[in-house]
Amino acid sequence: MRMSRRNFLTNDASTTANPFLQGNFAPVHEEVTVDDLTVVGKLPPEMDGMFVRNGPNPQFPPIKNYHVFEGDGMLHGVRIREGRASYRNRYIRTPYWKAENAAGRALFGSFLDPPGLAMLVRLIRNGLKRLPMVKNTANTALVCHDGRLLALWEGGEPHEIRVPELDTVCAYTYGGRLKHQFTAHPKIDPATGEMLFFGYSMFKPSVQYGVVNAQGEIRGITTIGIPRPVIMHDFAVTPRHTIFLDVPLTVSFKRLLRGQPLLKFEPERGARFGVLPRYGRGQDIKWFEVSPCYVFHTLNAYDDGDEVVLLACRTKEFPDSFFMPPTARAGDGAPIGKEFAPVIYRWRLNLKTGCVLEEALDDVPTDFPRINERLLGSQTRYGYAFNINEYNELLKYDFEKARSERHHHGQGRIGGEGVFVPRPNARAEDDGWLLTYVHDEGDGTSELTVIEAQDFGAQPVARVRIPARVPYGFHGAWIPGEMLAQG
Ligand SMILES: [Fe+2]
């Protein structure tokens, strides 16, 4: 095994009392590059690509408070080819990361902290424009489109990442055409190659929606009005329609100025889903009232006659503690309270009658849902999600047979989102593997687990030992070998 390291820090933010900085939430401060990793089992010889996962990894101890959503982005990648694997992790070097790196300390505060005088002055000066005091961490997710890998954070622009090096190129704004926020969860139509995206404002009650064509050019942006600013983390698309989630996790700077949380779940304000033709204008949107809820992530959507069908992980409770400073929280001491319990759920929105049919499809708390993305926008038989009650298993839903299978990582072995990787020349929807990082809380080791999707409950076909700790993170992506070959 060959290994190289670059160390950034000697001080360690994990020494604070913040649960988001302890255990395997604590950041790592080395960038390492390791070849010829030890593999338990056997990597499929036909597997050729790179699994990359994004997540928070604060470069410096926080000024005061810190939420897991705020850490500087770090990418953890495993390159797999000819049955062998190598690993590297790299910070996403945004301008904000560079400014803090040059200063040798944190410069940006937390949204959990009431604004100080300096922030108030900047708020007033900047009015409804972007907040320069909010750090674009690029820490949430990744998308490959038009031969380009982008690291995403919903409050700002994407950052282009060079592969397979995982070095940051710079912020990516589509030649200056992107002038607003960009979701962490854009959708790529597998038939047309188009990428659909949106961005919501935390100041104005509006959403910008646009389409990037297969050649990587923004083809039009339209504005959608909503009653009040909300956290709109994800959306969904079908070949004909785009679905927006106006769900009541509200944003209020007035509330923050009163010393109350910036973000708050207000189910009494109701929830609505908006359906817009793919190339429609904002005013063409048709809204459907749904039972109050919150949705971080959609699984998929599809057209079915007059209906648009949406599947997502839906929670009807959203504890205030989710966005409170850790010191102000009561409860079980877990970083995310157990009250947060989304389940896989289906809505049928009838465009002709305006009727909504909704039902839970399971009762196991899950999130980070994924599908075989070659079928995005079509009705899939299968879906995959992460058990956020136990954290140590993945679920595979079979919607046709209304059942699920589980893959346990083992006692004390905590996983994350499972990313579906199709087998080359796949012969079925689930012909492929699910990949996720697993951390053993007992011995502190990390590994990449490769699960055969058609033999879901079995032991992983391969466990790639990572000779460095991989902190818990958010979303991952599979970069096909052919894209890596093109650099
Ligand atoms: Fe997300």
Side-chain angles (χ1 to χ4, degrees):
M1 188 186 323
R2 286 189 295 115
M3 186 163 184
S4 64
R5 294 176 180 275
R6 182 173 177 204
N7 195 308
F8 279 83
L9 277 181
T10 51
N11 55 345
D12 188 350
S14 67
T15 54
T16 72
N18 191 321
F20 288 133
L21 294 169
Q22 293 179 342
N24 197 42
F25 284 101
V28 294
H29 296 306
E30 284 186 326
E31 291 182 335
V32 302
T33 306
V34 195
D35 293 328
D36 296 324
L37 301 178
T38 301
V39 178
V40 178
K42 190 166 181 275
L43 281 167
E46 68 271 41
M47 187 179 249
D48 179 10
M50 189 171 192
F51 175 74
V52 186
R53 202 220 56 205
N54 204 342
N57 195 86
Q59 185 181 191
F60 296 106
I63 296 170
K64 190 176 174 191
N65 273 306
Y66 167 76
H67 192 277
V68 72
F69 290 172
E70 299 177 306
D72 300 292
M74 180 176 273
L75 300 174
H76 300 264
V78 174
R79 172 77 169 103
I80 298 171
R81 182 172 43 182
E82 296 173 347
R84 299 169 73 168
S86 60
Y87 166 80
R88 66 175 55 213
N89 67 313
R90 293 292 184 272
Y91 275 113
I92 303 171
R93 286 162 163 75
T94 68
Y96 308 86
W97 184 95
K98 289 177 183 173
E100 292 195 331
N101 188 260
R105 64 182 176 88
L107 299 174
F108 299 89
S110 168
F111 73 85
L112 298 174
D113 296 326
L117 185 62
M119 185 186 277
L120 281 173
V121 168
R122 278 185 286 186
L123 259 175
I124 292 162
R125 274 192 189 151
N126 286 282
L128 301 178
K129 295 177 191 164
R130 282 189 223 176
L131 280 178
M133 75 288 276
V134 175
K135 180 165 60 170
N136 180 344
T137 57
N139 72 4
T140 313
L142 296 151
V143 69
C144 286
H145 186 244
D146 184 35
R148 187 174 279 116
L149 179 66
L150 300 176
L152 305 169
W153 178 76
E154 68 197 46
E157 63 274 268
H159 283 77
E160 185 177 359
I161 305 297
R162 186 178 293 117
V163 290
E165 296 86 354
L166 302 186
D167 295 335
T168 305
V169 180
C170 60
Y172 192 73
T173 61
Y174 294 89
R177 285 214 67 193
L178 181 69
K179 299 185 191 305
H180 54 76
Q181 293 81 359
F182 190 98
T183 176
H185 294 291
K187 306 290 183 237
I188 297 174
D189 183 319
T192 67
E194 292 169 307
M195 177 167 72
L196 298 97
F197 69 95
F198 72 97
Y200 68 89
S201 169
M202 291 178 79
F203 291 94
K204 287 189 289 185
S206 71
V207 177
Q208 307 294 316
Y209 161 63
V211 180
V212 181
N213 68 14
Q215 291 73 45
E217 301 155 340
I218 290 184
R219 301 311 294 173
I221 293 174
T222 189
T223 302
I224 298 163
I226 54 175
R228 65 195 64 79
V230 295
I231 298 294
M232 195 179 283
H233 184 65
D234 200 355
F235 72 148
V237 303
T238 76
R240 290 189 286 144
H241 299 104
T242 301
I243 302 109
F244 296 89
L245 315 178
D246 180 11
V247 279
L249 181 56
T250 61
V251 185
S252 169
F253 285 91
K254 281 186 189 165
R255 208 162 44 211
L256 186 68
L257 293 174
R258 292 197 301 263
Q260 296 168 2
L262 175 66
L263 313 178
K264 186 172 172 54
F265 183 55
E266 299 186 289
E268 66 277 10
R269 291 187 181 274
R272 310 181 306 161
F273 293 166
V275 179
L276 183 67
R278 175 173 295 187
Y279 308 110
R281 306 300 302 167
Q283 61 267 30
D284 302 332
I285 197 163
K286 183 176 173 66
W287 290 103
F288 295 80
E289 300 284 334
V290 298
S291 301
C293 64
Y294 192 72
V295 171
F296 269 117
H297 297 113
T298 64
L299 177 83
N300 194 19
Y302 54 93
D303 297 306
D304 186 8
D306 294 332
E307 293 179 330
V308 171
V309 185
L310 171 68
L311 286 91
C313 292
R314 172 212 192 248
T315 181
K316 60 182 182 191
E317 306 285 342
F318 198 112
D320 286 344
S321 59
F322 201 101
F323 292 116
M324 276 184 189
T327 47
R329 289 184 200 168
D332 55 16
I336 304 292
K338 294 280 186 192
E339 312 96 303
F340 179 72
V343 297
I344 192 77
Y345 203 87
R346 182 172 59 208
W347 295 261
R348 290 183 165 274
L349 314 174
N350 192 306
L351 293 165
K352 208 169 223 174
T353 66
C355 288
V356 177
L357 292 174
E358 51 180 280
E359 62 175 329
L361 301 181
D362 198 12
D363 57 5
V364 178
T366 57
D367 209 315
F368 293 90
R370 298 292 292 245
I371 56 167
N372 179 344
E373 287 175 2
R374 291 178 175 178
L375 296 170
L376 187 128
S378 306
Q379 183 172 6
T380 67
R381 175 171 174 180
Y382 302 108
Y384 309 89
F386 172 48
N387 182 332
I388 64 158
N389 200 11
E390 303 298 333
Y391 303 111
N392 64 355
E393 66 178 13
L394 288 164
L395 275 79
K396 176 186 180 183
Y397 298 111
D398 181 339
F399 298 116
E400 197 174 293
K401 296 199 169 171
R403 68 183 187 193
S404 65
E405 286 182 83
R406 297 182 181 211
H407 178 93
H408 292 271
H409 301 306
Q411 193 66 29
R413 289 166 52 79
I414 307 300
E417 177 190 63
V419 174
F420 182 83
V421 178
R423 189 187 309 277
N425 306 311
R427 285 176 293 186
E429 178 189 326
D430 60 345
D431 190 4
W433 309 275
L434 228 65
L435 270 58
T436 189
Y437 286 120
V438 173
H439 178 75
D440 190 316
E441 298 237 310
D443 62 16
T445 58
S446 301
E447 62 187 33
L448 175 69
T449 294
V450 181
I451 302 159
E452 187 79 53
Q454 290 186 325
D455 195 7
F456 198 70
Q459 290 293 312
V461 293
R463 292 164 50 188
V464 181
R465 304 270 200 206
I466 311 294
R469 186 168 61 81
V470 179
Y472 300 133
F474 300 134
H475 301 284
W478 176 253
I479 304 164
E482 54 267 32
M483 179 173 155
L484 297 169
Q486 291 163 8

